[in-house]
Amino acid sequence: MSALAALASYTIKHHLRHRVYLILLIFGVLMLGGVIVLSALAPDQRLRILFDLGLAGIEVIALVATVFLMVNLILEEMESRTIYLILTHPVPRHTYILGRFAGTMCAVLAGMALMALLHLALLLPSGWDASWAYGAAWTAIALKMVVVGGLALVLSLFSSSANTAMVLTVFLWILGHFTSEMSFLAMKSQNMLIQGAVWLTRSIVPDMSYFNYRDFVGAAIVPGAAWFGWLAVYAAAYTAVCLYLSSLLVSHKEF
Amino acid sequence: MARTPRAVVLAFLLLVLGGAHAAMRRAYSLPFPPLETLVATGRSLQDVGITAGGFRRAAADLAWVQFLQYLAAPGGWSAEGVRDQTLRVTRLDPRFKEAYIYGAGILGFFRNMDHPHMAIAILREGIQHNPHEWQLHATLAAIVYRVEEKPEKMLRELERLAHAPDAPPVIRGILGNTYLSMGELEKSMVMWELILESPAPEGERERAKGKIREIRLRKAKERRSAGRS
């Protein structure tokens, strides 16, 4: 447990000092500033635009940070051979993976929390009625990032190329938003082969649309607590599978 | 020996994953129509691109801003253009009730438009997605009364809409103009003042200021002519 905490703490410090992380945070702040300008173009829908585009901005920055940091997390250490320094200690490889993953996610979530505070500082003086829906939307984005992080990590270890892993993660991110669309098209096609391929894809690719609670806020029927619970279980299980596979890949790697 | 527990752990995780996925989908169905219903405009790539990133409401917001810019652009609008811009927004986010009311209001009441059937079709689609939104029902009723030439009933519905705290400025503008054409200057003035008090788009505010000036001039003229007689 102490090895896990030490690894996570070391990873958080490493990321907080990372130039890319800081640049992304500054970019996030600037993006939130851009949202103010955009919302001024539609004054009667100003709050809606501030809410939607602000959360979208937080998600985009968090996505870039998660993919970039997670893909380079272990690949950089393998290239610079600093991984030997850690693995020469009595640290099981699954603890190493878990510690590094947890540290990276803590750094990303801290950045997201900071941007959310700035976002709320824009929303509240504009007359927005504070609602628990904001917290729910933020949490759903955070769960989405945890899933993306797990996916990026396993793909980076699988492909051993940072660029390929980043492209694959973003591709799966986009595909994950089309799973319900694919089901709709498969249903229309009536072709068993297409339906089977869609079912397989839908089972492998994370169902990203379900994490978009920010898009359900204005819906006539808002998802209940049970749905949120299942979403958390789904995110945890998907991430656990990714971490388990990452751990297997690292344990089979020759350093 | 070590392989069996690994396989068991993986199988257990996959089982939990599958179960949670099924339960999540059962507990809530996504509130968006399929992408094939999106309206094809010159900005379809933008709409699909943003939706592909999972930002459906954000895509509708940007489309809304572009709709307002379309209305503000010099060169006039066409009824088909207003209909397509409205449907572009509402197909991206079918809960965007203000967009239905705005588009239908223009198509159903503006003199240079006068396409109530297009407006009715837009509102019917809106009501299908938002059956409990009274403002959509009231706008539909007002347009139907206008087609059936029942002005009292039409005005009653528009009054109800215009005095709601979140009333779209376009409805207040329509009512203000209707009262103006009927010679009801005081009632018309109330509508334009309501627009100025609300966070309406700049174009609407400028229009309201112009109408208020016009009403004041007409009142002064009436007073002068009353004084002479």
Side-chain angles (χ1 to χ4, degrees), chain B residues 21 53 59 80 97 111 166 180 182 185 190 205:
Chain B
H21 193 200
E80 288 75 20
K97 70 165 189 208
R111 278 202 197 116
D166 58 342
L180 201 58
M182 290 164 63
L185 299 185
V190 170
R205 298 178 70 79

Side-chain angles (χ1 to χ4, degrees), chain A residues 38 43-45 48 52-53 173 177-178 181 184 188 202 207 210 212 214-215 220-221 223 227 230-231 244, chain B residues 6 21 23-25 28 30 34-36 52-58 61-62 64 93 95-96 98 199-200:
Chain A
L38 206 61
D44 54 335
Q45 294 300 319
R48 181 194 151 109
D52 293 343
L53 296 189
W173 159 278
H177 286 109
F178 278 113
E181 203 65 36
F184 171 75
K188 273 179 80 178
R202 219 184 155 160
D207 210 337
Y210 276 89
N212 295 343
R214 55 184 160 64
D215 277 359
I221 303 165
W227 170 84
W230 283 119
L231 184 76
Y244 190 77
Chain B
R6 272 183 184 173
H21 193 200
M24 191 172 75
R25 284 170 56 189
Y28 189 65
L30 297 174
L35 283 182
E36 70 165 14
F55 306 105
R56 193 118 181 184
R57 256 172 75 107
D61 292 347
L62 290 178
W64 172 252
D93 179 13
R95 315 282 162 187
F96 206 144
E98 293 81 3

Side-chain angles (χ1 to χ4, degrees), chain B residues 69-199:
Chain B
Q69 285 173 338
Y70 169 78
L71 295 175
W77 342 309
S78 66
E80 288 75 20
V82 172
R83 181 199 56 199
D84 290 351
Q85 292 286 336
T86 307
L87 291 178
R88 179 181 167 221
V89 178
T90 57
R91 298 267 171 90
L92 281 165
D93 179 13
R95 315 282 162 187
F96 206 144
K97 70 165 189 208
E98 293 81 3
Y100 294 109
I101 297 171
Y102 213 90
I106 292 171
L107 289 167
F109 290 103
F110 276 33
R111 278 202 197 116
N112 54 345
M113 287 280 133
D114 204 26
H115 277 76
H117 296 291
M118 276 188 193
I120 288 169
I122 286 173
L123 287 166
R124 284 213 170 119
E125 191 174 312
I127 288 167
Q128 197 187 329
H129 290 292
N130 309 275
H132 303 297
E133 289 291 353
W134 71 270
Q135 287 165 313
L136 294 176
H137 291 278
T139 312
L140 178 64
I143 293 173
V144 170
Y145 288 138
R146 185 175 179 241
V147 172
E148 291 176 355
E149 294 178 0
K150 292 176 179 168
E152 294 84 19
K153 285 184 173 177
M154 180 193 83
L155 285 175
R156 197 184 57 211
E157 292 299 334
L158 286 177
E159 275 284 352
R160 199 155 71 95
L161 277 163
H163 283 99
D166 58 342
V170 72
I171 293 293
R172 288 174 174 161
I174 289 163
L175 194 55
N177 269 331
T178 311
Y179 281 138
L180 201 58
S181 62
M182 290 164 63
E184 298 266 17
L185 299 185
E186 284 304 327
K187 284 182 178 175
S188 178
M189 185 72 126
V190 170
M191 288 302 128
W192 301 116
E193 280 171 351
L194 274 175
I195 291 176
L196 284 183
E197 283 165 19
S198 68

